Amino acid sequence: MFAFWAIVTAFLGATQDIVIDAYRIEILPEDELPHGTANNQFGYRLGNLAAGVGTIAIASSEGLGLGWAMGYGLTAFCVIPGALAALWAGRGLHDRVLASQDQASRGRWLEDTIIGPFREFFQRRGAVLILLFVLIYKLGDAMGQGMLNPMIVELGFSDTEFIAINKLVGFWG
């Protein structure tokens, strides 16, 4: 059950990243894209900092001491401002384009939005190499990060020291 929810969470997180990037590209004029990308990265790092430090501060005996279940449960509420912002921001331009087009059939929509882009990508030279690169690019970082936290605990660092080094110093890195 844990593996199932981990896969669901990873899928939803990756989907959210793609949607945020697509929405930003869709609504910003070309000259504002660098600023939008920079703000996206800053927001990602700030959210990562708040969620990491907040969860540890809530759960740790050095903080509020409410336990990990409560820490993660309360941290989950951090998604609410993003959800409200998405509702407030409204639909992107793609929906308006689709609404203005003749909706002849679902097959045509499927071809235009899913099959066509995949076909076009795989017709490019080196498409498989690009996919392999994307799949393994961050593999070492992910494995290392997965082993870092248990190692820090095993070495005897306190929660406060962990926050100071891994979250606060890492925020600027």
Side-chain angles (χ1 to χ4, degrees):
M1 188 55 95
F2 182 80
F4 170 77
W5 286 113
I7 291 169
V8 168
T9 301
F11 175 78
L12 292 175
T15 302
Q16 182 182 22
D17 285 346
I18 292 167
V19 168
I20 289 169
D21 285 342
Y23 187 75
R24 182 183 68 246
I25 290 167
E26 197 172 277
I27 64 167
L28 292 177
E30 193 170 328
D31 62 324
E32 292 181 11
L33 278 175
H35 304 291
T37 302
N39 278 318
N40 182 57
Q41 284 301 306
F42 182 72
Y44 173 80
R45 286 181 177 260
L46 198 58
N48 191 20
L49 173 69
V53 171
T55 302
I56 293 171
I58 291 168
S60 172
S61 60
E62 295 175 32
L64 297 177
L66 299 178
W68 290 104
M70 181 64 76
Y72 282 115
L74 291 175
T75 303
F77 285 110
C78 290
V79 77
I80 292 173
L84 293 175
L87 292 173
W88 177 73
R91 295 174 176 249
L93 302 175
H94 185 70
D95 285 350
R96 291 180 218 145
V97 170
L98 288 177
S100 68
Q101 292 178 346
D102 180 29
Q103 296 294 324
S105 70
R106 289 187 186 267
R108 179 72 184 163
W109 175 86
L110 187 67
E111 170 65 31
D112 289 345
T113 59
I114 297 173
I115 297 170
F118 276 106
R119 182 183 306 121
E120 190 273 331
F121 175 78
F122 283 109
Q123 289 174 346
R124 294 181 181 194
R125 185 171 167 240
V128 174
L129 289 175
I130 291 170
L131 282 180
L132 287 172
F133 176 75
V134 168
L135 286 172
I136 63 172
Y137 174 68
K138 289 290 210 172
L139 185 61
D141 286 347
M143 290 175 64
Q145 187 63 37
M147 294 184 289
L148 177 65
N149 295 348
M151 182 188 79
I152 288 173
V153 170
E154 183 70 27
L155 290 174
F157 287 96
S158 71
D159 291 338
T160 307
E161 291 168 330
F162 174 77
I163 290 171
I165 299 302
N166 192 15
K167 296 299 178 185
L168 297 178
V169 174
F171 176 75
W172 301 108

